Amino acid sequence: MTLSTSPIATRLEQGCAVITANNPPVNALGHAVRAGLMAALRSALADPAVSSVVITCAGRTFFAGADIREFGKPSQPPHLGKVLDLIEQADKPIVAAIHGTALGGGMELALACHARVIEATAKVGLPEVKLGLIPGAGGTQRTPRLIGLMAALDLVTSGRHVGAAEAKELGLVDHVVAADLEREAIDYARSLVGKPLRRTGELSIPACDQAAFDQAAMRIIGRARGQLSPRIAIEAVRSSATAPFRGGLMAERLLFQELVRSDQSRALRHAFFAEREVQRAPQLASATPRSLSRVGVIGAGTMGAGIAMALLDGGLMVTVVENDADAAARGRERIDGLMARALRSGRLSEAGRDERLKRLTVTDDFHQLQAMDLVIEAAFEDMAVKKEIFARLADVTPKGTVLATNTSYLDINEIARAAAGREADVIGLHFFSPANIMRLVEVVGPASADKDAVATGFALARRLGKLPVLCGVCEGFVGNRILAQWRQIAEFALEDGALPEEVDAALEAYGLAMGPFAVADLAGLDIAASRRRRLAGTRNPEARYSGAIPDKLVELGRLGQKTGAGFYRYENGARRSDPEVHAIIRSFWPHTGMSDTLFDGELLQRRIRAVMVNEGAKILAEGIVARPLDIDLVLIHGYGFPAWRGGPMFEADAIGLPQILADMEEVHARFGAGWEPAPLLKELARTNGRFADLGDGSSPS
Ligand code: T1G
């Protein structure tokens, strides 16, 4: 008996050909699946014993789209569009049976079927735009014919997943079932036999308010901030209303092919796979995470409350400890506030809230931490405070309880030494605010930490659905260390003739979610000022100091949003330029001989990118992280770096390291000591290498 190697199998049931794809893990529509589907469909349509067809998938999900790994390689026929044409033009009813997530090409295949039956827990979507693409197999042309232009515009440009109930309400699917999906789909297909078939491509598009469409399009373009695919998606959807169906398909295909070759799509596909690769930390391969069910949190301020919420969302028993009863009560209120916000946004149900509250204890009794498997310290960012807490933790908790600090830049080796006798249990878990929303967690393994303790923190981050990046101890780990470098270049620009608005605009044009001075006002200028003071003793006396202007603002009590003024003024929550700040900045210009006509936004972008990459090269050479993708993900998920550039290290490889080195040499020439190009950057540029070639991140052989 020859074992079938095809990922497609067909069985006949009551005249219905049930075609099942089995291509783990997500039934991607790779070449073998497309070829198998084509053959199975032709056979079923030619078989007189077959009166209807159901297309379904084995495993955890319906087709989750084209095989992204095939992009960038020569495409092999049959192309998906051809398979979908065969389905739509068939003279026997073909029904899609959807479970899991029908995404991208999977959704497009379902749209080409004559009807769609979906499991109540399943979701559908067209997420191509998140990969820098648009649907390339009829999604932008068939969706408007089923649900109208406005709803199609939302789905195609947002890439969001739509639950079964909403999909039914929109008209994307025909029948929602609680169970027995295949049985229900077969019955549905058989019920269509002998009736006129509804071919999606032949449907007319309901009339749409053109002004409403244009307004929505403008909003989408505004939010895209430099990313191409949403703009192109708008045009593809718009063309469905003006071009005949076949013409629209052709236009969509051409736009798709242009995007699949674009730098932005290559960058977004890099980010997609990097987010999955980062979950596999090679350094922890031999470690064993300890079991986790009870987790303590010390401190119920903004970070502590957010962390507690994330832990509750992750299904853990949570004990939050504060200094006294009043602080504990305030902490409980903060957590209740987060629950209420999640309820209002629909992210949480009443039952979900009640179930979480059953797992929450908020107390001022530090000794309750003795029963924890892991404790996360989220107290005030002060070394003395943290050392006192870790000394107590070493006493109160049994050996083996993992003791994690949420510090964003203090020395975890020093904190570990305070936990006398328990250094091996001390790690860092650097969450990003708001901790229950932001996915990034820098998992920090100090030299003294037991690998199993680090692996336990890493496993916890994964269990919370976070994006864990494993890094070693250094000032600011990965994200804050790189931020501290490039923020100085932005501060120099103020002394050299720029205003905060100009610098922020240049970096937002580059794609950052928010410019550095708007971010500084949000975080509080006093945070960076205290860091400058803390590092004053170790600063290179030869190096130009960039903190003069922010120090002056702090001296004047302008700490940012929290005081109503910082680099900007804040009135009724709106950020406005402030002539007072302009005057303060201008007062520095005579010292640097600059004036505000000299600002060059493009030069600033190149300088800041070079400095980010240069610091990343040092981080890699020091072994703080294993791979360049670790740095890319921290910048994208923690600091608003545009994912459509792939992260600084990916973009540097794409631009070419000789250019990055030249930009860094210009920075060094302009700003002097402390801005020397990193040896690894010089080495790779000299040998025409790439960061991506570094494999596990060790220096080039
Ligand atoms: N192609 C190739 N590999 C894929 C894949 C895909 N479409 N989707 C997932 N994988 C891999 C992933 O890298 C990981 O691999 C494993 O499957 C499990 O994924 C023609 C052109 C479906 C919601 O954008 O959103 O169709 O790490 O860890 O958390 O117009 O995967 O195990 O080696 O994410 O349960 C459009 C992308 C493609 C969907 C499941 N489709 N995938 O999430 O598992 S373009 C998408 C997802 C397209 C058409 C256009 C998620 C998921 P490894 P996972 P998960």
Side-chain angles (χ1 to χ4, degrees):
M1 180 183 80
T2 54
L3 283 175
S4 157
T5 54
S6 165
I8 302 291
T10 304
R11 81 169 198 281
L12 194 55
E13 189 166 321
Q14 300 168 293
C16 177
V18 181
I19 299 176
T20 302
N22 185 14
N23 181 31
V26 297
N27 287 309
L29 284 155
H31 172 249
V33 173
R34 297 194 305 274
L37 276 174
M38 201 64 145
L41 283 160
R42 282 187 176 133
S43 166
L45 296 177
D47 183 343
V50 172
S51 57
S52 63
V53 177
V54 162
I55 299 176
T56 185
C57 287
R60 60 182 170 152
T61 179
F62 193 72
F63 305 104
D67 185 335
I68 308 171
R69 294 180 196 280
E70 287 185 351
F71 296 147
K73 297 172 186 158
S75 63
Q76 291 176 286
H79 297 135
L80 185 57
K82 289 285 178 232
V83 179
L84 305 197
D85 282 347
L86 180 63
I87 291 171
E88 189 166 66
Q89 298 309 316
D91 53 9
K92 298 177 183 176
I94 300 180
V95 170
I98 300 170
H99 73 293
T101 47
L103 299 173
M107 183 66 219
E108 291 175 299
L109 185 148
L111 293 173
C113 291
H114 305 115
R116 288 149 291 280
V117 177
I118 187 171
E119 222 165 48
T121 54
K123 295 187 175 179
V124 299
L126 294 167
E128 291 89 336
V129 69
K130 294 181 177 177
L131 294 168
L133 301 168
I134 62 169
T140 67
Q141 306 302 306
R142 290 191 172 97
T143 309
R145 285 174 163 79
L146 280 174
I147 65 176
L149 282 165
M150 291 301 288
L153 182 67
D154 165 36
L155 292 196
V156 173
T157 57
S158 67
R160 71 184 178 90
H161 294 183
V162 173
E166 184 186 357
K168 175 77 169 63
E169 199 181 313
L170 284 171
L172 271 179
V173 301
D174 304 282
H175 184 40
V176 180
V177 298
D180 298 333
L181 172 66
E182 199 171 277
R183 175 75 264 148
E184 295 271 358
I186 292 168
D187 294 347
Y188 201 94
R190 297 177 69 228
S191 74
L192 298 178
V193 174
K195 292 177 185 161
L197 294 180
R198 183 184 59 165
R199 294 189 173 87
T200 310
E202 293 171 0
L203 299 176
S204 59
I205 296 178
C208 163
D209 174 350
Q210 194 58 50
F213 186 94
D214 293 343
Q215 272 168 12
M218 290 311 290
R219 279 196 303 276
I220 291 159
I221 289 170
R223 283 199 303 270
R225 260 203 319 272
Q227 187 175 340
L228 280 175
S229 52
R231 289 165 185 270
I232 303 290
I234 292 166
E235 295 322 309
V237 170
R238 197 197 302 271
S239 74
S240 70
T242 51
F245 180 61
R246 305 303 304 178
L249 285 181
M250 179 55 72
E252 174 195 78
R253 188 82 197 140
L254 292 172
L255 289 170
F256 168 79
Q257 284 168 342
E258 194 182 317
L259 284 174
V260 83
R261 290 192 293 270
S262 70
D263 290 344
Q264 287 195 6
S265 182
R266 271 200 290 271
L268 285 163
R269 295 182 330 243
H270 158 71
F272 173 87
F273 287 116
E275 285 173 22
R276 283 136 184 98
E277 185 56 35
V278 80
Q279 314 263 354
R280 291 183 276 264
Q283 312 93 308
L284 298 178
S286 59
T288 311
R290 296 170 194 161
S291 68
L292 277 179
S293 61
R294 309 181 68 85
V295 178
V297 179
I298 298 175
T302 304
M303 284 308 290
I307 292 168
M309 186 70 192
L311 294 165
L312 291 168
D313 289 342
L316 291 141
M317 298 295 289
V318 179
T319 298
V320 178
V321 172
E322 258 291 1
N323 285 324
D324 55 49
D326 285 350
R330 286 195 301 278
R332 174 59 192 259
E333 279 167 24
R334 260 190 216 97
I335 296 169
D336 288 344
L338 291 175
M339 298 266 188
R341 199 175 305 163
L343 269 175
R344 281 197 301 276
S345 72
R347 285 200 317 272
L348 185 62
S349 66
E350 300 268 347
R353 187 246 349 250
D354 297 346
E355 189 278 327
R356 283 165 175 74
L357 290 178
K358 285 197 192 101
R359 290 187 279 111
L360 172 63
T361 304
V362 183
T363 174
D364 61 352
D365 176 7
F366 196 91
H367 282 83
Q368 289 204 26
L369 293 173
Q370 65 188 348
M372 299 299 123
D373 304 311
L374 182 148
V375 179
I376 301 171
E377 170 271 316
F380 187 59
E381 197 68 353
D382 173 276
M383 183 55 91
V385 167
K386 293 186 185 304
K387 288 167 85 168
E388 193 267 332
I389 287 171
F390 276 78
R392 285 185 74 188
L393 283 171
D395 284 344
V396 167
T397 63
K399 202 170 181 57
T401 298
V402 177
L403 308 177
T405 173
N406 172 56
T407 185
S408 48
Y409 53 77
L410 295 177
D411 181 349
I412 299 182
N413 290 321
E414 187 177 345
I415 293 172
R417 286 192 290 274
R422 297 284 304 285
E423 294 83 345
D425 285 333
V426 178
I427 66 169
L429 287 177
H430 178 213
F431 288 83
F432 286 74
S433 184
N436 57 313
I437 305 292
M438 294 285 277
R439 287 190 62 206
L440 181 65
V441 177
E442 285 176 319
V443 180
V444 188
S448 55
D450 178 294
K451 268 213 182 309
D452 289 357
V454 181
T456 307
F458 197 86
L460 173 64
R462 293 194 63 187
R463 179 169 172 179
L464 301 181
K466 300 290 184 184
L467 208 56
V469 175
L470 185 62
C471 47
V473 174
C474 65
E475 170 67 29
F477 315 129
V478 176
N480 279 339
R481 171 167 168 177
I482 290 177
L483 172 64
Q485 287 306 104
W486 72 260
R487 183 168 49 196
Q488 292 179 67
I489 301 298
E491 289 162 349
F492 286 147
L494 296 184
E495 296 183 359
D496 292 352
L499 295 174
E501 302 81 333
E502 291 173 311
V503 171
D504 282 355
L507 290 173
E508 284 162 22
Y510 179 74
L512 287 194
M514 214 177 189
F517 298 120
V519 170
D521 275 358
L522 194 60
L525 274 62
D526 45 336
I527 306 283
S530 67
R531 181 173 181 280
R532 285 194 296 273
R533 280 194 301 275
R534 183 167 58 79
L535 296 175
T538 59
R539 190 175 298 121
N540 175 350
E542 301 297 310
R544 176 176 167 184
Y545 181 60
S546 74
I549 290 175
D551 287 347
K552 181 72 179 166
L553 296 181
V554 170
E555 193 186 298
L556 295 170
R558 300 175 64 102
L559 305 184
Q561 284 194 19
K562 59 187 172 186
T563 57
F567 284 101
Y568 296 90
R569 175 162 298 287
Y570 295 86
E571 285 148 10
N572 311 321
R575 184 170 63 234
R576 302 198 186 300
S577 296
D578 186 344
E580 216 177 292
V581 167
H582 294 178
I584 292 167
I585 291 170
R586 284 199 171 88
S587 71
F588 281 80
W589 290 349
H591 310 310
T592 56
M594 295 304 194
S595 74
D596 59 0
T597 53
L598 290 175
F599 180 65
D600 177 345
E602 198 271 334
L603 172 61
L604 179 66
Q605 290 174 351
R606 285 209 322 276
R607 285 177 171 170
I608 283 182
R609 175 172 55 210
V611 165
M612 284 183 182
V613 172
N614 201 55
E615 200 61 25
K618 292 178 186 172
I619 287 170
L620 280 167
E622 292 166 25
I624 297 294
V625 295
R627 303 153 300 190
L629 65 87
D630 296 309
I631 296 169
D632 288 336
L633 290 176
V634 169
L635 272 287
I636 290 169
H637 287 278
Y639 296 81
F641 192 95
W644 50 265
R645 290 182 185 271
M649 311 315 277
F650 178 86
E651 187 176 42
D653 281 345
I655 289 170
L657 297 188
Q659 177 59 57
I660 301 295
L661 177 59
D663 291 340
M664 194 61 212
E665 282 164 344
E666 191 274 336
V667 169
H668 182 211
R670 177 75 191 79
F671 299 114
W675 300 101
E676 295 77 7
L680 177 59
L681 174 58
K682 287 195 288 188
E683 168 72 2
L684 289 173
R686 185 182 65 78
T687 56
N688 213 18
R690 302 180 316 149
F691 288 112
D693 300 333
L694 290 180
D696 65 358
S698 55
S699 52
S701 50

